[in-house]
Amino acid sequence: MIRRHLPEQDDVFPVEPWCLRETALHEPLLSRSESLLALSNGHIGVRANLDEGEPHGLPGTYLNSVYELRPLPYAEAGYGYPESGQSLIDVTNGKIMRLLVDDEPFDVRYGDLIFHERVLDFRAGTLTRRAEWRSPADRTVRVTTTRLVSFTHRSIVAIEYVVEPVDAAARVVVQSELVANEVLPGPVHDDPRVSSALENPLRSVEHSAAGTSGALLHETKQSGLRVATAMSHLLDAPDGVDVDVRGESFPDLSRVTFTAALEPGQRLRVVKLVSYGWSAERSVPALRDQVAAALTGAEQTGWECLLSDQRAYLDDYWDGAEIELDGDPALQQAVRFALFHVLQSGARAERRPIPAKGLTGPGYDGHCFWDTEAFVLPPLTRTAPGAASDFLRWRYDTLPEARDRARQLGLAGAAFPWRTIDGAECSAYWPAGTAAFHVNADIADAVVRYCDATADEQFAEDIGVELLVETARLWRSLGHYDEAVDEFRIDGVTGPDEYSAVADNNVYTNLMAQRNLEAAADAVARYPGAARRLLVDDEEAEAWQRCARAVVVPYDEKLGVHPQADGFTRLAVWDFESTEPEHYPLMLHYPYFDIYRKQVVKQADLVMALHRRGDAFTAEQKARNFAYYEGLTVRDSSLSACTQAVVAAEVGHLDLAYAYTAEAAFTDLHDLKSNTGDGLHMASLAGVWVALVDGFGGLRDEGATLRFSPRLPNGLRRLAFTVRHHGCRVRVETDGRQATYSMAPAEGHDEEKLEIFHHGEPVTLAPGSSVTRPVPALQPPPRPRQPPGREPLPRQVHDEPPPRRPHRADRGGRSWAARHPESAPHSD
C-alpha cells in the first residue's frame, strides 16, 4: 500500500549525479512529485501524473500559450486597468494508460504496491516508472513505462508501456486514452465568475477512433483557440498471443483498448505516440492534418530513434551547459536538475513565452514575468542561445500590444506587460501592472546581452534595434529631464522589490533605463538603415544620450549607501524583532500601506543593481550597500537568493554566497516555499546557474568581453563550467587557488583567438591550449547580519535538508498566490 506518512526528503529522492529518483510513492506528496518529475520541451508540458491517472495531486497537460480568458475582479474600476485576464488551461491529457488485470483496475491505493520507483533522467530526457503490484484478487504484475516529450519532434509525446504477469496467467486490458476537460481538484479562484470561466474550458468540435488511432479536436469557449490531439500506437506482443484492439470515441474521450491473455514472463508492449497542435487561425481540417502529419513523422522515426534523438540533443546541450562541482554531491544533483528544467522551459518554445513556472504547473496562471529576461535568459543565452533568441522574438511579436499599452498610459514607445501570456497586460495589481516599468529595461538588457554573447548581426538589425528603440522612447517620455540642474528623473515607479511601490528614482530602474537609452543610441548609429525604418533622427538619439548621462542615482551621504529609491533610507525600519516567524511572508499578514512605508525588502532590488549594473558602483560602495541591505531583506520571494549569492561572492562573503546558492538550488527539491505542487520556480532554478557562474565564477559580460573572477567557498573543492560566446565554448575550471581557461572554437574559426580577463588581467585563449592563472588571496570582510529568523541556512554538506520556512498554503497544497493570481504582485 502507499505509505501515508511524510518521509524525510532523502528517503524520497536520494542523491544521484544524473537523475532524480523517487524511491517510493507517497500520496500526500503527489502534487510536488508531479512538478519535480514533469517533462516539457517548451511547447508541450506534462506533469508527472501516474499513467493510470489516479490518484493525482493536480492533473496537468499544457500547450504553451493555450489559455482561456477570464474576468478580472475589481472592487473599484480605474482607467487603464486590464479588462480581462488569461489563464493557462489544462488541455487534452494524452498520458493516460489504464490497466486492468483480470478485470481488477491497477490502482496503487488498492491491493499491495510491492515496489514503485520513478526516475527523471537528465541525460536521456525521460521519465521511467517501474512498479510491481499485487491485485486484491492476488494477481501480481510488473509494469514498466518510459515517457518523453520530444526535443526533436516538437509536437510529440511518446510513452512505452510494458506489462508482464509475474506469478500466474492473467488477462490484461490496456486502455489508452485522450481525455479533455479533466476534473481539477477544488476551485482555483474564490471569485465564482472566474471559476465558471475556467471550468470545462474546452468545447468539443470533433472526435474519432479507428483501429489503433484516435483524435479529439476542441476549441476554447472565450479565447477562440483550437486544440487538436491525436494518438496512434505501435504494438508488440509475444508470438502466439492474440491481441484484441477496439476503439471508441466521445466528445471528451477517445480510447483504444488492447486485450491479451498472458502467461507469467510474457510481456505486452504498447508504444503510444501523441501529437498536439493548436492555433487561433488555422481551420479544423488544417489542424487535423497538422497533428496527423506529426504522428506519421513520429511513427516513421520509431520509439528507439526517438530515444536516441533525445539523448543526442541533450548530449549537445550538456557539452556546452554542464556545471561540475566537487565537494557537494547534493548540490551537484540540484544544479543538473535545475539546468535540465531551465532547458525544458524554453528549448522548443519557438516565439512563445517562458512562464514563471515553465509548463510544470498552473502557478501564476501560466503567466510570463520579467523573471524570464532577468533570470532565465542569462543561462539560456550562454547554454542554449537559440532558445533565448526565440523568446526575444516573441517579445518582438508582441510589440503592437506594448505600443497600444503605452498609448493608453499616455506614453511614447512600448510599455511591455508585467504579466502576460499573449502580450496583453493581465495584472489587476496596478502598482506592479502599471508602475513596474523596469520590465522594459530588462527586455532591452536581455537583447544587449544576447547580441554581445552571440554576435548575431541579423537578429540585432531585424529584431534588437526595434526593441531597444521602442523601450528607449518609453523612458524618455516617462522620465523628466530638468535642464536647470541637468537631471533625468524617473518618478512614481515600482522596482523589483514589491515591498516598496510607486517610488521616485528607484536605483535599479534608473540604471537599467540608462543602459537601455545608451544601447538604443548605439544601435541606431550602428544600423542606420534600421534607424531610418524606425524614423529615428539625430535629435532623438542625442536626447537619449543626454537623458542617460543625467540619470539620477540617489545616494545617502550620511549612511554612505545608495537608497533603494529617493528617501528610502529615511523611512522607519521594519520591527523585525517583533515579527513572528509564522508572519512571513509579510504580504499575507500585514497591510501593504504599512509595508510600503517601512524599510523592509521582499527581494533583492538595490543589490540586483549591484549585480546587473556593477559598473556604476565602486568596490567600496558595493560592500557597504550589500551589508546595509542584508539587514533589511527578508527573501519573501524566491527571486532573491541567487542575486544575493552573486553579490555576496563578489564582496568576499563566500560562505554566505554558498548558503544563498543552496537556497536557490533547493527551493523546489526541498519545497522550501511549500508550493512546489503549483509548478517549479523557473527563475530560482535558473538562478542556480547565475549564482555559480556569475557568483563563484565571477562572470561579468558588460560589452562583448568576458571577465571572470573565480573564487570558491569552504565546502567546494572544484568548480568547472562552460559558456558559449560568439560560437565558441569557453571552459573555466578552478579549485579556489588557481583557475584554468580553455576554448573550443566555433566551426570555421579554427585559428581564432579570444581575449578574456581573469581578475582584471587580460588572458589570450587559443584553440587547443589552456591558460592557468593564480586566484588572488582574499581577506573576508565582517559578515553582515540579516533580519532575525531570515538568515540563510548554512550549507552543511551531507546533512539533512533544511527545514521549510513558514509559508501559508491551503489544505490542498495550493499557495495563496496560486489561488489569487490576479492579486499577487509577483512570483514567490
Side-chain angles (χ1 to χ4, degrees):
M1 298 292 291
I2 296 182
R3 281 187 276 172
R4 302 294 175 178
H5 69 281
L6 288 176
E8 292 294 330
Q9 179 76 29
D10 286 349
D11 290 343
V12 184
F13 297 114
V15 173
E16 297 185 48
W18 279 102
C19 70
L20 188 65
R21 185 185 305 272
E22 182 188 56
T23 57
L25 198 63
H26 304 279
E27 192 173 352
L29 302 180
L30 274 176
S31 61
R32 187 194 66 176
S33 295
E34 289 163 355
S35 295
L36 294 174
L37 302 174
L39 292 174
S40 176
N41 62 9
H43 174 58
I44 306 169
V46 296
R47 286 174 62 81
N49 306 117
L50 301 178
D51 302 275
E52 56 273 16
E54 297 180 4
H56 59 240
L58 180 66
T61 302
Y62 311 108
L63 289 175
N64 195 333
S65 298
V66 173
Y67 65 90
E68 185 57 298
L69 294 171
R70 56 179 176 78
L72 282 176
Y74 296 106
E76 297 181 11
Y79 176 79
Y81 286 8
E83 295 180 0
S84 63
Q86 303 165 359
S87 290
L88 184 75
I89 61 171
D90 182 25
V91 299
T92 305
N93 184 356
K95 304 185 295 285
I96 292 181
M97 304 281 284
R98 303 190 195 277
L99 172 66
L100 291 88
V101 181
D102 287 343
D103 298 327
E104 187 72 42
F106 172 38
D107 188 322
V108 295
R109 296 167 295 189
Y110 300 92
D112 186 13
L113 188 60
I114 301 168
F115 174 79
H116 194 278
E117 174 185 87
R118 291 191 289 178
V119 179
L120 181 67
D121 190 317
F122 309 145
R123 289 183 293 190
T126 57
L127 176 63
T128 300
R129 179 192 188 195
R130 301 178 183 88
E132 192 165 312
W133 176 74
R134 183 180 298 113
S135 75
D138 202 29
R139 288 290 185 271
T140 302
V141 293
R142 188 174 296 124
V143 177
T144 304
T145 69
T146 302
R147 180 187 300 175
L148 67 83
V149 177
S150 178
F151 287 119
T152 56
H153 291 249
R154 181 174 180 252
S155 64
I156 295 296
V157 175
I159 302 168
E160 182 190 50
Y161 192 94
V162 180
V163 58
E164 172 189 351
V166 173
D167 55 357
R171 184 178 71 256
V172 300
V173 179
V174 176
Q175 295 176 321
S176 177
E177 298 179 352
L178 303 177
V179 180
N181 290 318
E182 293 178 286
V183 177
L184 300 178
V188 176
H189 298 266
D190 293 339
D191 188 325
R193 297 171 299 165
V194 177
S195 294
S196 176
L198 297 180
E199 186 177 357
N200 297 328
L202 297 173
R203 179 190 295 117
S204 177
V205 175
E206 65 178 38
H207 57 87
S208 65
T212 62
S213 300
L216 295 177
L217 202 149
H218 289 79
E219 63 183 7
T220 57
K221 297 175 183 177
Q222 302 298 325
S223 57
L225 305 178
R226 295 190 181 97
V227 178
T229 313
M231 64 177 173
S232 64
H233 301 82
L234 307 173
L235 184 64
D236 183 12
D239 292 340
V241 173
D242 292 328
V243 181
D244 182 68
V245 181
R246 300 183 183 183
E248 55 185 337
S249 69
F250 308 92
D252 287 343
L253 171 68
S254 181
R255 177 190 295 140
V256 176
T257 302
F258 304 89
T259 305
L262 299 177
E263 296 295 326
Q266 289 186 320
R267 301 162 70 242
L268 178 66
R269 175 177 175 266
V270 178
V271 172
K272 180 178 187 178
L273 302 173
V274 185
S275 173
Y276 287 92
W278 73 270
S279 177
E281 304 293 338
R282 284 193 289 276
S283 66
V284 169
L287 268 180
R288 188 193 308 126
D289 291 346
Q290 176 186 336
V291 294
L295 271 184
T296 300
E299 289 168 349
Q300 291 179 344
T301 301
W303 171 252
E304 295 300 330
C305 285
L306 285 172
L307 281 177
S308 62
D309 289 349
Q310 190 88 335
R311 182 64 177 249
Y313 185 98
L314 285 165
D315 283 347
D316 180 69
Y317 169 70
W318 288 117
D319 189 47
E322 187 180 1
I323 296 177
E324 300 172 37
L325 295 172
D326 288 351
D328 192 337
L331 184 58
Q332 174 70 88
Q333 178 193 39
V335 170
R336 288 172 176 151
F337 169 83
L339 291 176
F340 178 72
H341 274 293
V342 169
L343 175 69
Q344 287 199 130
S345 73
R348 299 301 305 274
E350 295 179 8
R351 301 185 86 139
R352 296 294 176 190
I354 298 176
K357 302 286 187 180
L359 295 176
T360 65
Y364 287 93
D365 272 330
H367 290 167
C368 175
F369 293 82
W370 72 291
D371 304 21
T372 304
E373 281 85 3
F375 297 93
V376 179
L377 286 200
L380 283 181
T381 296
R382 293 298 183 181
T383 62
S389 170
D390 280 341
F391 177 84
L392 291 172
R393 290 173 188 273
W394 168 73
R395 285 291 194 190
Y396 177 81
D397 291 342
T398 66
L399 264 173
E401 291 84 357
R403 290 189 182 105
D404 288 344
R405 180 64 171 164
R407 283 193 293 269
Q408 184 183 34
L409 298 176
L411 299 169
F416 284 94
W418 178 243
R419 55 188 303 166
T420 190
I421 293 177
D422 74 348
E425 180 61 71
C426 290
S427 176
Y429 182 73
W430 75 266
T434 302
F437 289 100
H438 69 83
V439 62
N440 300 281
D442 298 321
I443 293 169
D445 183 62
V447 168
V448 171
R449 291 179 184 278
Y450 171 79
C451 292
D452 285 344
T454 63
D456 187 342
E457 292 289 331
Q458 195 69 50
F459 173 92
E461 186 167 10
D462 295 346
I463 305 293
V465 175
E466 192 164 352
L467 287 171
L468 293 173
V469 164
E470 295 292 30
T471 47
R473 285 170 168 164
L474 174 83
W475 292 117
R476 186 187 177 194
S477 66
L478 178 65
H480 167 61
Y481 178 69
D482 188 339
E483 291 188 17
V485 291
D486 190 29
E487 285 186 349
F488 184 69
R489 303 177 54 84
I490 305 176
D491 296 326
V493 300
T494 299
D497 172 33
E498 293 149 5
Y499 284 173
S500 300
V502 197
D504 297 340
N505 293 314
N506 172 261
V507 171
Y508 175 82
T509 301
N510 282 19
L511 288 175
M512 295 296 284
Q514 180 186 59
R515 172 173 285 173
N516 192 164
L517 291 161
E518 292 171 342
D522 290 344
V524 295
R526 184 171 182 177
Y527 302 104
R532 288 191 295 271
R533 171 170 53 87
L534 298 170
L535 304 179
V536 180
D537 56 25
D538 291 343
E539 185 280 329
E540 185 174 23
E542 289 168 2
W544 294 339
Q545 293 172 322
R546 182 172 63 251
C547 292
R549 288 192 299 267
V551 158
V552 172
V553 180
Y555 186 73
D556 187 323
E557 296 285 353
K558 182 178 179 180
L559 293 176
V561 299
H562 290 80
Q564 187 168 279
D566 275 348
F568 181 80
T569 51
R570 296 197 302 270
L571 299 176
V573 176
W574 185 268
D575 186 0
F576 298 107
E577 294 288 348
S578 300
T579 304
E580 298 295 331
E582 60 271 16
H583 285 175
Y584 291 97
L586 298 180
M587 65 182 183
L588 302 188
H589 300 92
Y590 300 94
Y592 268 116
F593 86 89
D594 194 18
I595 296 173
Y596 286 165
R597 59 198 185 98
K598 300 289 177 58
Q599 288 191 65
V600 57
V601 179
K602 180 184 180 185
Q603 64 202 60
D605 188 310
L606 190 285
V607 172
M608 192 162 183
L610 302 180
H611 176 205
R612 289 300 178 199
R613 283 302 314 273
D615 58 308
F617 304 89
T618 68
E620 293 76 17
Q621 287 173 341
K622 290 178 183 178
R624 289 197 303 271
N625 281 322
F626 180 77
Y628 185 83
Y629 285 95
E630 277 295 281
L632 303 175
T633 304
V634 294
R635 297 195 320 291
D636 283 348
S637 166
S638 63
L639 302 182
S640 197
C642 66
T643 300
Q644 288 173 277
V646 171
V647 182
E650 181 175 355
V651 301
H653 302 295
L654 296 177
D655 290 342
L656 180 59
Y658 192 13
Y660 281 134
T661 300
E663 184 173 305
F666 294 114
T667 291
D668 286 315
L669 282 174
H670 293 168
D671 200 7
L672 300 183
K673 299 289 183 181
S674 298
N675 61 358
T676 296
D678 297 330
L680 302 180
H681 299 76
M682 284 301 148
S684 186
L685 292 172
V688 181
W689 185 95
V690 174
L692 290 169
V693 175
D694 288 12
F696 296 132
L699 171 64
R700 297 295 182 271
D701 53 0
E702 292 90 1
T705 301
L706 295 177
R707 300 174 182 272
F708 300 97
S709 300
R711 296 188 190 279
L712 290 186
N714 295 322
L716 292 183
R717 297 191 300 271
R718 185 179 73 97
L719 167 68
F721 60 88
T722 300
V723 295
R724 299 181 189 236
H725 184 74
H726 292 194
C728 302
R729 298 185 182 188
V730 179
R731 179 177 172 82
V732 182
E733 183 172 355
T734 182
D735 60 3
R737 297 182 299 273
Q738 62 183 21
T740 299
Y741 303 92
S742 58
M743 178 187 68
E747 185 177 350
H749 296 275
D750 293 341
E751 302 303 322
E752 186 174 343
K753 295 183 178 181
L754 178 68
E755 183 177 75
I756 65 171
F757 284 81
H758 166 80
H759 284 278
E761 298 296 325
V763 173
T764 300
L765 301 182
S769 61
S770 62
V771 177
T772 299
R773 293 287 186 269
V775 171
L778 172 70
Q779 183 63 40
R783 179 162 172 155
R785 297 180 60 186
Q786 293 78 34
R790 307 308 290 171
E791 306 87 350
L793 294 157
R795 183 68 186 141
Q796 296 178 346
V797 182
H798 305 308
D799 278 7
E800 290 297 321
R804 300 177 186 174
R805 293 196 180 277
H807 186 90
R808 189 171 72 180
D810 66 357
R811 291 184 180 273
R814 297 182 62 71
S815 67
W816 177 90
R819 291 181 286 120
H820 304 264
E822 68 286 335
S823 300
H826 194 26
S827 57
D828 54 8

